[in-house]
Amino acid sequence: MFVWISPVYNFPLDPCCSLSRQLMRAQIPKSHIYLQTLCFALMEKMLAMLVLLILKPETVSAGWSVTFEKTDPCALKGSSVELSCSYNYTDEETVKKTAWYKGELENGSWRRVALSDLPSYQNRFEYLGDQQHDCGLAIDDLQVNDTGHYYFRFDTEAYGRRSKESVYLTVTDPPLNVSVEMSYSGHLTMGSSVNLTCSSAANPAADNYTWYSSAGSSFSSLLQVGSGQVLSLPSVEASHTGLYLCQASNRLGENNSNEVLLTVDETDTNRVILFVGIGVKVFIGLLLPIVIIWAWRLRSKSAVDKEERNRDYENISTAEMGQKNMVTQKEMYETCLCLSLITLDT
């Protein structure tokens, strides 16, 4: 909108006279006359353009546009999807080239990369549109990493037009590669603890986990033993021995893991300790008499040697020596037996 501010001159405007005559009578400077004439000419052109737009409404537009029929499509992994699209431009332009792009984050920067330049899309996408107004796209054998923003671009002889908006494609799949990880490897002893963790690859992520077990080495009869991503067994028993599997599911489906074998040794740790203690006692009970006998013999030999060196040795009769030895042996055996019984009793 233009606002024309004219200098004030003290002269009466004659409606019957032309503008030029009035300006001449007022003796207005020529520079002011030129500015007024230029402004009037611009206003006439703007009025003409406005009338033209009103008389031809089909030409009223921003010049070009790109419209996506659905901006948030969703498709299952392995299937195909079609992205419906249309575009417009001015009648004076001619489309020379069209292309689809995907938004990629590279080195921390967001870029639009042509699908033809992405190796993962080779032989998997097809342009369904033309160089008039249709810009449809088809993608086959969808993968989870196909999820993302997609843009359309067309080039004319004068301009390159890129869509401001995008289509966000979501590729979904049921849980795949379901696996079970056990926190303890090898054989478990009774009373120990173990955790079984279930994991999977899914989009959307698995939201339900169910655990099954079967006694023995076959899944002839499954029994549900828990739920949740982690199955915790804080104190295992012999009855926990068997095969375990996890079932992961989301709204698209479910899948099972491979079975894992959980083995629990029936040997009781406390019983093992008791047996070891008894064995030690028996060993000591048997070893102690031997040590005592050896010590007694060593002492007896020393006593005999001493008596042989005694001057009065010949005065002692053989009978007295034998009786003395018998008494000593009897006392020794009684002592050994008593010590053995005490050791075993404790």
Side-chain angles (χ1 to χ4, degrees):
M1 178 179 182
F2 290 90
V3 178
W4 173 254
I5 301 177
S6 176
V8 179
Y9 298 99
N10 295 323
F11 65 90
L13 293 176
D14 185 358
C16 298
C17 298
S18 65
L19 178 62
S20 59
R21 291 181 180 179
Q22 294 185 43
L23 294 175
M24 291 176 63
R25 288 181 181 180
Q27 298 181 354
I28 299 175
K30 293 183 179 180
S31 60
H32 290 176
I33 296 174
Y34 174 76
L35 290 175
Q36 287 181 340
T37 305
L38 179 60
C39 288
F40 278 118
L42 291 174
M43 292 179 64
E44 289 178 355
K45 289 185 177 181
M46 291 180 61
L47 289 173
M49 291 179 62
L50 181 61
V51 171
L52 182 62
L53 291 175
I54 295 175
L55 294 177
K56 295 183 178 182
E58 65 276 6
T59 62
V60 181
S61 66
W64 68 276
S65 64
V66 177
T67 304
F68 301 114
E69 182 176 325
K70 191 174 182 180
T71 58
D72 56 348
C74 181
L76 192 64
K77 178 184 177 181
S79 64
S80 301
V81 66
E82 292 186 7
L83 308 181
S84 299
C85 167
S86 62
Y87 64 105
N88 293 305
Y89 47 92
T90 61
D91 294 339
E92 292 78 15
E93 294 180 282
T94 301
V95 176
K96 298 295 184 180
K97 183 181 178 181
T98 59
W100 276 87
Y101 291 74
K102 184 184 180 185
E104 295 281 341
L105 190 62
E106 296 182 356
N107 299 325
S109 300
W110 185 258
R111 295 184 53 211
R112 300 185 183 190
V113 184
L115 296 186
S116 57
D117 294 336
L118 294 173
S120 60
Y121 286 84
Q122 295 300 318
N123 302 320
R124 289 201 304 118
F125 79 95
E126 180 184 2
Y127 181 63
L128 303 178
D130 50 35
Q131 292 187 344
Q132 300 297 322
H133 297 286
D134 187 5
C135 52
L137 173 70
I139 305 177
D140 301 325
D141 190 21
L142 289 171
Q143 304 300 314
V144 175
N145 54 10
D146 291 340
T147 297
H149 293 273
Y150 291 81
Y151 303 85
F152 176 70
R153 170 174 177 161
F154 66 94
D155 295 335
T156 65
E157 70 278 2
Y159 304 102
R161 313 289 193 183
R162 298 192 309 175
S163 62
K164 299 177 182 179
E165 302 296 330
S166 67
V167 175
Y168 187 81
L169 173 64
T170 301
V171 180
T172 60
D173 63 334
L176 299 174
N177 301 324
V178 184
S179 62
V180 174
E181 181 180 357
M182 188 160 49
S183 63
Y184 188 95
S185 59
H187 294 276
L188 293 168
T189 57
M190 293 179 61
S192 59
S193 63
V194 63
N195 290 330
L196 303 179
T197 303
C198 186
S199 60
S200 66
N203 187 25
D207 53 11
N208 187 34
Y209 297 91
T210 306
W211 292 91
Y212 296 93
S213 174
S214 176
S217 59
S218 65
F219 277 101
S220 57
S221 59
L222 288 176
L223 177 66
Q224 182 176 341
V225 293
S227 60
Q229 192 168 4
V230 178
L231 177 64
S232 180
L233 302 175
S235 180
V236 296
E237 300 176 356
S239 60
H240 287 128
T241 298
L243 295 173
Y244 288 78
L245 67 79
C246 168
Q247 183 182 83
S249 63
N250 61 11
R251 59 182 176 83
L252 299 174
E254 60 189 24
N255 214 332
N256 295 338
S257 69
N258 292 329
E259 61 272 9
V260 294
L261 178 61
L262 185 66
T263 304
V264 180
D265 289 338
E266 298 185 11
T267 305
D268 193 345
T269 305
N270 295 329
R271 188 176 301 174
V272 171
I273 295 174
L274 178 61
F275 288 158
V276 171
I278 294 175
V280 171
K281 290 181 179 181
V282 171
F283 178 76
I284 294 176
L286 295 176
L287 182 63
L288 187 59
I290 297 175
V291 173
I292 294 174
I293 293 173
W294 175 81
W296 173 81
R297 287 184 176 180
L298 185 63
R299 181 181 177 184
S300 299
K301 182 178 180 182
S302 178
V304 169
D305 293 339
K306 184 177 181 181
E307 288 181 359
E308 286 179 351
R309 290 192 299 269
N310 195 323
R311 295 178 181 179
D312 298 331
Y313 174 77
E314 57 276 4
N315 298 326
I316 302 174
S317 64
T318 304
E320 290 177 346
M321 288 293 295
Q323 184 178 5
K324 186 177 179 180
N325 290 336
M326 289 178 62
V327 172
T328 305
Q329 290 180 1
K330 181 179 180 182
E331 291 177 350
M332 184 268 295
Y333 284 124
E334 289 177 351
T335 302
C336 291
L337 179 60
C338 182
L339 290 175
S340 299
L341 292 176
I342 292 173
T343 302
L344 294 175
D345 189 38
T346 56

